[in-house]
């Protein structure tokens, strides 16, 4: 008798198989019970009649939610069943019946978000959360495959760093060994600029940390970022790479996670458009769009969350805004040769109000200009000495960007808050469970 | 004129191409210069004659190591050249000539390891270090592909954890927001036990942290670990998964990174054997091997580094040692039903003295037994309350393991110290650069 996963059920139409999982829900109707089983790969409805299978019927009747079960039965096509197949249950082994006195905490009803976050280790079992996690995994897989296919070499940036790179207010301090201090990385960029000079085209994809005190739906203290960096590359190269990457991720999720998107009731029409090329507009063109919509943003202002939504609503796919005022961008941004007040930087704004998912651009490769910028930004040259070495020894034009995984997955899934798209979200007052 | 990477040179035999990279070394011989260029994908020797290309010759003559250059020339087969091809240089643009007054710090000679680690951002440009990083990237790619191919879903475990899981002496404390404390994860295992109950088969692959004060060649404070976990799986399932994973990683590196292995002068014969199935011996059989070699280890003792080498030397591929005394293994290990003094745990020992690269086993799924073990190990039940929930609500037999990426890559590369196989190693007194 084959032991199968529920996602394979369609291949076993008419055959007797065994499934190992949990009871997700059960409906009783006289001498029939309709259990729903889950095994992590999907959900299948069962049916069991007292008359035909009295032992299995008795075991199922009154069985508590999330009890662990090994079920044997015949798979058959059933249009009315979710997934198109159901199982005629002939035999069931209950591994653990969840106590009626202490039932499964997450009932099939609405719970408050704090309760759910306190029970995140169980919350992830619900079809919605499980679907989100499976989509996240697919997005990571697609993103890595795309980077590899473009000849980018993975070089993991370190988590421990000796000093703050950009401002210290959102930096986590670690009590390192023997009273040393270390800081958790906020971005791997500076490090992969070094590996790009060694390997040409590189990326890092790991956790990054920000001590964000803002309690918005877009912030986590611990989040994953994919950051490519390439030697001999410029702003346009990075915009091309970024649109290729985001298209590949979205199209892979559409192709391989359609059941999960359906579980989330995601409107996939809006995702189907997400194909390169993406529109590219200048910062100044973005300002003009805002002004057209009576938004007062003017040259030199940051484009905030509300403004991002107004701009992105003009387009049917992500839009890339480039050439921001140098004054509002990081110290390492290469100025535009024709307009030195502009930085060769770009952001990618996701549609549907999801805001910035990518930020990047071309880096300064002149030693003198980089030193001048460190001074202007009141950053200590000493801490950046190794970084300046990259401009002392064979400096070349280079560029890169960072893609926020959780923001990207939240947009693809259409979730309201990014806390749902990471297995165990960390926020200002939450490091549990 | 095509711009190519050096690894593509073989495809352009007889054609004029442009390469963008750095001068790795140069030899001058009267009216000829023989520069060696690198671009991160490989190394190619050039040749340039004063008579034929006086401008390029003058630009190359006396050019300093690591100067950045864009070079145009004709590719031609040349058996004596490394890689089998060389470039007849016709044109060169020097982007930045490294100053003769402040030459590239890493000369083509031996340097002390502290000096090299202080200059890790430059050290990675040497062929040996670049090859190691490329092999690491291939190992990660192969490992992820293998896990995905086996139906395991990536679920990233958190970096911030609320409490110590196994002992506090090697735990890093973080100053979290508003005087809260958090700790950096030592293993994602407990968390992926939760995701396994949600998704069936899962893995996490990310940084883990240990405040290791031991200065051995096998320890880093920050290292990457791949940890699978599967519901309804047992010890034997995990040994099968582990040997499949390690075989896939080694065979992928052999197939796709032969040039890099050659650069490292790695004896690949010893790697070619690494194919599943691997030998499986019990702990007691391992003790017998040790005693046969006059090593006094007896039942109940840990198998240390020297002992691992004696045992693994008996085999031509990694060996899996299983069923250790429960007393020397972690609190969550499932006892062997037939021999409750043994834990259903296993370690995989790499050949050639590289020691343990995998540790894992079957987890306790009984709530009562797990509570008892927490008491026996003097661990606070309160901190593990969420973890105990996994045994309260639909507990099932489950198993998993952790593979240390750096130890695995160090073995594949044949490096003496694992500090070379991570881009920016962190050790007891090193968080720089």
């Amino acid at each position: 008798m084959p032991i199968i996963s529920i996602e394979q059920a369609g291949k076993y139409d008419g055959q007797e198989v065994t499934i190992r999982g949990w009871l997700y829900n059960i409906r009783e109707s006289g001498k029939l019970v309709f259990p729903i089983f889950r095994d992590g790969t999907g959900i299948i409805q069962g049916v069991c009649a007292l008359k035909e299978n009295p032992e299995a019927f008795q075991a199922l009747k009154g069985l508590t939610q999330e009890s662990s079960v090994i079920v044997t039965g015949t798979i058959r096509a059933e249009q009315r069943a979710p997934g198109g197949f159901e199982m005629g249950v002939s035999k069931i082994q209950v591994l653990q019946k969840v106590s009626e006195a202490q039932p499964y905490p997450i009932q099939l009803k609405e719970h408050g978000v704090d309760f759910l976050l306190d029970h995140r280790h169980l919350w992830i079992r619900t079809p919605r959360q499980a679907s989100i996690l499976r989509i996240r995994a697919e997005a990571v897989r697609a993103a890595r495959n795309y980077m590899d296919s473009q000849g980018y070499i993975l070089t993991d940036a370190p988590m421990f760093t000796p000093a703050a790179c950009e401002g210290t207010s959102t930096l986590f301090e670690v009590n390192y060994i023997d009273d040393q201090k270390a800081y958790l990385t906020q971005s791997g960029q500076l490090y992969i600029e070094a590996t790009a000079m060694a390997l040409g085209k590189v990326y890092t994809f790991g956790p990054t940390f920000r001590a964000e005190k803002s309690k918005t739906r877009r912030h986590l203290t611990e989040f994953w970022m994919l950051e490519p960096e390439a030697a001999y590359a410029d702003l346009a190269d990075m915009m091309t790479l970024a649109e290729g990457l985001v298209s590949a991720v979205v199209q892979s999720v559409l192709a391989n996670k359609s059941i999960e998107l359906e579980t989330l009731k995601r409107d996939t029409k809006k995702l189907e458009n997400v194909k390169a090329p993406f529109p590219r507009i200048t910062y100044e063109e973005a300002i003009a769009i805002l002004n057209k919509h009576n938004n007062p943003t003017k040259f030199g202002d940051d484009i905030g969350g509300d403004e991002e939504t107004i701009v992105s609503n003009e387009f049917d796919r992500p839009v890339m805004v480039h050439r921001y005022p140098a004054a509002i961008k990081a110290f390492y941004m290469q100025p535009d040769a024709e307009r030195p007040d502009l930085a060769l930087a770009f952001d990618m704004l996701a549609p549907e109000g999801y805001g910035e998912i990518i930020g990047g651009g071309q880096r300064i490769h002149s030693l003198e200009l980089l030193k001048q910028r460190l001074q202007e930004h009141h950053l200590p040259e000493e801490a950046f000495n190794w970084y300046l070495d990259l401009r002392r020894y064979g400096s070349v034009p280079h560029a890169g960007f960072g893609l926020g995984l959780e923001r990207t997955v939240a947009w693809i899934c259409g979730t309201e808050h990014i806390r749902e798209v990471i297995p165990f979200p960390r926020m200002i007052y939450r490091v549990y469970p």
Side-chain angles (χ1 to χ4, degrees), chain A:
Chain A
M1 175 113 47
I3 297 174
I4 67 161
S5 59
I6 291 173
E7 67 182 347
Q8 300 169 321
K11 293 183 203 156
Y12 291 86
D13 190 13
Q15 293 180 51
E16 194 175 42
V17 299
T18 295
I19 285 168
R20 305 183 297 190
W22 294 267
L23 183 73
Y24 173 64
N25 198 1
I26 190 163
R27 188 163 56 83
E28 305 184 0
S29 173
K31 293 177 179 172
L32 284 173
V33 289
F34 300 96
I36 298 179
F37 302 112
R38 68 168 193 88
D39 73 347
T41 74
I43 270 187
I44 192 164
Q45 182 180 287
V47 56
C48 184
L50 169 62
K51 212 164 92 185
E52 291 162 24
N53 292 290
E55 266 186 57
F57 180 89
Q58 293 302 344
L60 279 165
K61 198 170 156 63
L63 191 59
T64 41
Q65 191 192 342
E66 285 301 316
S67 292
S68 41
V69 290
I70 299 178
V71 202
T72 297
T74 303
I75 301 294
R76 52 195 181 220
E78 169 53 67
Q79 285 198 327
R80 291 164 300 178
F85 292 89
E86 66 172 23
M87 176 189 247
V89 176
S90 54
K91 201 177 137 197
I92 182 162
Q93 179 193 352
V94 178
L95 271 73
Q96 187 196 37
K97 180 173 177 171
V98 172
S99 153
E100 281 168 43
Q102 194 180 9
Y104 187 64
I106 301 182
Q107 301 296 310
L108 302 174
K109 62 170 192 181
E110 291 277 317
H111 289 281
V113 75
D114 278 332
F115 178 86
L116 291 171
L117 286 168
D118 284 341
H119 293 84
R120 182 63 177 170
H121 54 294
L122 304 175
W123 187 23
I124 51 178
R125 298 186 187 185
T126 61
R128 180 178 162 79
Q129 297 303 315
S131 293
I132 291 173
L133 293 186
R134 289 167 67 87
I135 288 170
R136 176 189 170 99
E138 175 66 18
V140 170
R141 198 190 65 78
R144 289 186 180 268
N145 283 355
Y146 186 78
M147 296 312 298
D148 293 342
S149 76
Q150 300 299 302
Y152 281 73
I153 307 291
L154 176 72
T155 58
D156 301 300
M159 301 293 111
F160 288 133
T161 64
C165 292
E166 300 174 49
T168 53
S169 64
T170 58
L171 204 60
F172 283 113
E173 187 186 79
V174 181
N175 302 318
Y176 204 70
I177 297 165
D178 290 352
D179 298 326
Q180 300 170 87
K181 290 290 173 197
Y183 302 90
L184 294 177
T185 186
Q186 297 187 298
S187 154
Q189 181 199 317
L190 306 197
Y191 289 96
I192 59 168
E193 287 187 54
T195 58
M197 299 306 137
L199 298 170
K201 298 196 286 185
V202 300
Y203 70 105
T204 183
F205 194 177
T208 51
F209 305 89
R210 303 234 174 129
E212 286 284 0
K213 295 199 178 181
S214 44
K215 289 175 89 169
T216 85
R217 64 188 183 85
R218 287 189 193 169
H219 288 99
L220 297 168
T221 55
E222 175 189 321
F223 56 99
W224 284 65
M225 196 144 64
L226 191 169
E227 298 174 88
E229 191 77 29
Y232 290 99
D234 62 16
L235 173 65
D237 293 328
M238 284 305 111
M239 290 200 281
T240 301
L241 182 71
E243 68 189 3
L245 172 64
V246 170
S247 306
V249 168
V250 171
Q251 296 305 321
S252 285
V253 171
L254 280 172
N256 302 323
K257 290 287 167 268
S258 57
I259 293 168
E260 287 79 3
L261 289 167
E262 206 181 301
T263 301
L264 300 179
K265 300 188 173 63
R266 180 66 168 115
D267 179 0
T268 52
K269 283 231 182 57
K270 290 180 175 163
L271 295 175
E272 280 157 17
N273 289 332
V274 181
K275 286 181 181 159
F278 295 170
R280 302 177 186 194
I281 63 172
T282 65
Y283 168 86
E284 287 171 324
E285 287 165 342
I287 298 290
I289 290 172
L290 290 170
N291 295 161
K292 190 182 78 184
H293 287 90
N294 299 316
N295 179 294
T297 301
K298 59 185 192 304
F299 185 91
D301 291 347
D302 251 324
I303 296 187
D306 292 344
E307 286 73 27
E308 287 175 350
T309 302
I310 298 171
V311 172
S312 66
N313 278 346
E314 299 279 300
F315 304 95
D316 70 343
R317 65 197 70 196
V319 55
M320 292 188 281
V321 181
H322 58 90
R323 291 181 167 75
Y324 284 77
I328 61 169
K329 283 289 175 185
F331 75 91
Y332 46 69
M333 291 291 190
Q334 173 77 9
D336 188 346
E338 291 168 22
R339 283 275 308 271
D341 61 324
L342 299 182
L344 294 176
F346 81 106
D347 286 350
M348 184 188 289
L349 310 180
E352 303 174 64
Y354 280 89
E356 181 193 335
I357 54 172
I358 282 180
Q362 197 170 326
R363 324 305 188 182
I364 290 172
H365 58 277
S366 151
L367 178 63
E368 290 317 309
L369 180 57
L370 191 57
K371 279 186 176 178
Q372 183 189 320
R373 286 283 200 267
L374 285 173
Q375 276 192 356
E376 289 166 8
H377 286 253
H378 309 293
L379 290 165
E381 194 178 303
E382 174 57 25
F384 291 91
N385 198 37
W386 72 264
Y387 183 62
L388 291 170
D389 274 355
L390 308 179
R391 278 72 180 176
R392 289 187 184 106
Y393 306 114
S395 192
V396 304
H398 61 289
F401 63 80
L403 171 139
L405 176 64
E406 284 76 17
R407 290 184 180 190
T408 304
V409 175
W411 157 52
I412 294 173
C413 290
T415 63
E416 200 192 339
H417 196 298
I418 61 170
R419 68 187 160 214
E420 288 184 58
V421 306
I422 188 165
F424 293 91
R426 278 23 185 152
M427 291 168 290
I428 169 166
Y429 294 122
R430 174 160 305 278
V431 288
Y432 178 91

